[in-house]
Amino acid sequence: MNFRPLHDRVLVKRVESEAKTAGGIIIPDTAKEKPQEGEVISVGSGARGEDGKLIPLEVKAGDRVLFGKWSGTEVKVNGEDLLIMKESDIMGILQG
């Protein structure tokens, strides 16, 4: 099953953070916070402006992005935990 978000929504897969600190301490799953970094899986066609014209999204599939801690709605697609959020919930694109 393929999934394509509608309008200005974006499908994001969380990128798992390190299980160890810089000092070598292993962090148990119960103490980990959910990562606020992810990879864009797919994007909608864009939002409509007041004049009715389509405004394309700035993010594209494959971009690594940062988003807010409480952003998006968690969904399960093909057995994989993903997030659906509006492009405005994304704070920025990681480069390099």
Side-chain angles (χ1 to χ4, degrees), residues 50-69:
E50 290 182 20
D51 58 359
K53 291 186 179 176
L54 189 67
I55 303 167
L57 301 182
E58 288 189 45
V59 297
K60 61 186 180 309
D63 283 349
R64 288 185 64 110
V65 295
L66 292 178
F67 49 87
K69 186 181 280 193

Side-chain angles (χ1 to χ4, degrees), residues 18-58:
E18 290 292 318
K20 263 192 219 181
T21 65
I25 298 171
I26 296 174
I27 304 168
D29 288 340
T30 55
K32 282 185 192 174
E33 286 194 17
K34 290 186 179 179
Q36 293 173 267
E37 181 180 332
E39 180 182 349
V40 176
I41 303 299
S42 64
V43 298
S45 57
R48 295 253 175 223
E50 290 182 20
D51 58 359
K53 291 186 179 176
L54 189 67
I55 303 167
L57 301 182
E58 288 189 45

